[in-house]
Amino acid sequence: SVIAGAQTTIGGASVILDNFAIANANVSFTSVTFNSTWDISGANSIYYTYTFFNGDLSLPSGTVMIQNSVLQTGINGNLTLLPGSQWTHIANTAAKSYIVKLNVTGNLDLQAGASINVDGKGYAAGSGPGVGNYYNYGAGGGHGGAGGSSNGASGGVANDSLTNPIDLGSGGASGGGSGGGAAIISVTGAFTGNGTITANGTAVGIYNGGGAGGTINIIAGSVTGSGIMRANGGSAGTYGGGGSGGRIALKSTNQTD
């Protein structure tokens, strides 16, 4: 199969593809298993519900993988995000419907200039278990801690697990900012993180509360790199409350130091 310069939808409950190539295209998958290594080139937007890659996957500059589900994506091999590539998920609203969830049986190499970016894609304003309260002015959403109080209302409560976080950042009070999304990644081999992973909440204008930071949760055989991970809360407008920071868990199963 070859897709070049096209907008294509590949539906079906379970589709198996061999010898697949894509170049400068906009593609949507529902449930697809790839039996051989992808040949990807150029700038691509790839939306998917569920995929399984039976082999190595390398994303070139300009390619964006966009998850539109909470299902786990399997990669039976190595995953490399080259400079200029990105992995993300669709923005949520009032319910947790979209996250980035990856299981890599080989190594994951997030190179400098590549990113996993779920900023502002958590619970929308007025939503989430730590939503900010509102009285005259909007308070901030809570997640890793309590959200900031406004001039009149308390911030949203802290929530989610300290050691194994899985939830999105909550939104600020109605009219405020959205929380950060969630990236949950399991790597059997080595995770090398020289790029950026961010799950920041969004800032807001006057009188409103910021969204809380989301979740970055990575477990790998070994962890190295000098990249950036952030799950910051969104700043508040005048008289509003800022969103709390999110939760970041980074665990190694094989390292002792």
Side-chain angles (χ1 to χ4, degrees):
S1 301
V2 178
I3 298 174
Q7 181 167 338
T8 303
T9 299
I10 300 176
S14 183
V15 177
I16 299 175
L17 294 176
D18 295 300
N19 303 317
F20 189 82
I22 178 173
N24 299 309
N26 188 327
V27 184
S28 297
F29 301 116
T30 300
S31 179
V32 177
T33 296
F34 296 93
N35 274 338
S36 59
T37 302
W38 264 19
D39 179 7
I40 307 177
S41 60
N44 305 280
S45 294
I46 302 168
Y47 296 81
Y48 69 95
T49 300
Y50 167 79
T51 54
F52 180 81
F53 300 91
N54 194 14
D56 296 340
L57 176 63
S58 181
L59 298 187
S61 177
T63 290
V64 182
M65 294 289 292
I66 306 159
Q67 182 163 350
N68 59 5
S69 72
V70 295
L71 301 175
Q72 180 171 274
T73 293
I75 300 170
N76 188 26
N78 300 315
L79 172 61
T80 303
L81 274 69
L82 297 168
S85 64
Q86 183 182 112
W87 211 299
T88 187
H89 63 71
I90 290 177
N92 290 270
T93 53
K96 180 184 172 183
S97 301
Y98 313 109
I99 62 174
V100 170
K101 190 172 185 181
L102 303 175
N103 181 39
V104 182
T105 63
N107 303 318
L108 196 166
D109 183 10
L110 181 68
Q111 298 188 359
S115 67
I116 298 170
N117 184 323
V118 293
D119 293 348
K121 295 188 175 182
Y123 293 110
S127 303
V131 61
N133 296 293
Y134 187 92
Y135 183 78
N136 293 328
Y137 307 104
H143 189 195
S149 298
S150 67
N151 189 357
S154 60
V157 298
N159 58 90
D160 206 0
S161 168
L162 175 65
T163 58
N164 187 34
I166 59 172
D167 211 353
L168 311 166
S170 290
S174 180
S178 298
I184 301 171
I185 301 168
S186 174
V187 183
T188 302
F191 169 70
T192 305
N194 290 313
T196 62
I197 306 177
T198 55
N200 299 320
T202 58
V204 291
I206 191 169
Y207 305 143
N208 293 313
T215 285
I216 300 171
N217 186 344
I218 299 173
I219 183 169
S222 63
V223 177
T224 59
S226 57
I228 294 172
M229 295 185 189
R230 290 195 181 109
N232 297 336
S235 60
T238 304
Y239 305 119
S244 80
R247 295 194 183 272
I248 298 177
L250 184 61
K251 294 165 281 187
S252 170
T253 58
N254 296 334
Q255 289 171 302
T256 57
D257 54 23

